[in-house]
Amino acid sequence: MSNVVIVGAQWGDEGKGKVVDLLAPEISAVVRFQGGNNAGHTVIVGGKKYILHLIPSGILHKGKTCLIGNGVVVDPAVLCKEMDALAAQGVDVGPGRLKLSFKAHLIMPYHRALDQAREAGLAEGKIGTTGRGIGPCYEDRAGRAGVRACDLMDLPLIREKVARALKEKNALLALYGQPPLDAEAVLAEIEPLAARLVPHLADVSSELAACEKAGGSIMFEGAQGVHLDVDHGTYPFVTSSNTVAGNAAAGAGIAPSRLDRVVGIVKAYTTRVGSGPFPTELADATGDYLQEKGAEFGATTGRRRRCGWQDAVVLRESVRLCGITDIALTKLDVLSGLKEICVCTAYMYEGQKLDYPPQVENGMARVTPVYETLPGWSGSIENAARWEDLPEAARRYIGRLEELAGVPVSIVSVGPDREQTIIR
Ligand code: GDP
Ligand code: IMO
Ligand code: MG
């Protein structure tokens, strides 16, 4: 199989974890290239549930190398905890198969504190972040003040960087009415984790090159979704990294020409956690139905996810931004039982019909969706194993999404388990 990038085509939680796990047998290595433990990727195998935040979702397949690229922001405490939890379940997370880029930036306790303090201070304009310190860590990366994974081999350097950082961060925390952090307490958290993580440090770019040279193929596991991208998403209600497929190259250290297939993961309806515009959001009984039937609670924060109809405008833009070659459509089973299913095909914006989202700040908050209504289907589809097993109306819905997005649907997921999948 050629190299494949997995991206969420909506606002995250599309089911990327399930699809990465599903496609993992065909590849040699899985690498995360952006985001951090704001992500929560669920994999269910034989009824057993695993939620991965930092470790690639290929980890459940023996023999696959799992890598955390330079573009990821890593909370060392969270990574160690995740390793422990998997090890306790018999999963090999040894340095031979789980590798962390020397160049990945570390989320420090002051990043978490600042993220939470800012959100608490914002009230109305709250982004609704996961509070994991993602934004402040990326700020320090851009500001050239970050602590990187390679620094774990040089504790005196970390000590220096922490002292310098706290001068500034403590002043900021004071501004938000928060107590200062003590350098020794910060170091006391980091130092014991260093010994654990140093054996996992690797030149991820070279590892990927070696994997390809040996004839292997690579999967790039995106986190969040295209419309949470710091540039292309619904700014400022976005995350702090580029989530588009192009960042797989920069965030893992591989040439863009090495990205072959791009699978866009699309939920059969739309969800969003946190604040920000959501044109097809349903604040009614149908929204509640999707939320309950889809068990739409955040895999990281446990927050209730906002739910709404499928939005082809959002999908179309994701296809354009990422070069999506094919779609994996998830949670189709959740739509079963609805009499009618709506799909947003365009937006009305300032008297004009738009095929793509308006590009100005919060433009998406001022659009009116144009809907097309399709017939629904009754009965459960959770056991459908072949395309022919799906009701006619479900196949029609998928066909219409293909027309609207302009790319084929190659995978249909009809339940959370690895086995509940139709490959076309
Ligand atoms: P990710 O962040 O994109 O990996 O997605 P999450 O794991 O946050 O959320 C997706 C949720 O949907 C998880 O609880 C999955 O177990 C579940 N899921 C994935 N595919 C399906 C499906 O086809 N049907 C149902 N009912 N649940 C699914
Ligand atoms: P996965 O990979 C859904 C959202 C947060 C918030 C915004 C910014 O599981 O799909 P941040 O903590 O990143 O600064 O928060 O982004 N967000 C996600 N929403 N799925 C995710 O990841 C998300 N990661 C961040 O809710 O609105
Ligand atoms: Mg998730």
Side-chain angles (χ1 to χ4, degrees), residues 1 4 6 16-30 43 56-66 97 217-219 221 411 418:
M1 188 165 123
V4 55
I6 303 295
K16 298 174 291 294
K18 164 163 175 170
V19 178
V20 170
D21 170 72
L22 183 77
L23 298 180
E26 300 173 42
I27 54 89
S28 324
V30 187
V43 179
S57 305
I59 197 77
L60 302 178
H61 291 269
K62 282 198 179 85
K64 307 296 171 190
T65 309
C66 291
R97 73 179 297 230
S217 53
I218 303 160
M219 181 149 54
E221 178 176 350
I411 296 170
R418 200 188 260 171

Side-chain angles (χ1 to χ4, degrees), residues 38-49:
N38 46 351
H41 296 179
T42 313
V43 179
I44 298 183
V45 188
K48 201 165 165 191
K49 184 171 177 173

Side-chain angles (χ1 to χ4, degrees), residues 329 332 341 375-377 381 387 390-400:
L329 188 71
L332 188 66
I341 295 167
W377 58 91
I381 59 167
W387 177 247
L390 290 175
E392 164 70 22
R395 282 183 271 155
R396 218 169 118 193
Y397 175 64
I398 296 171
R400 187 64 186 128

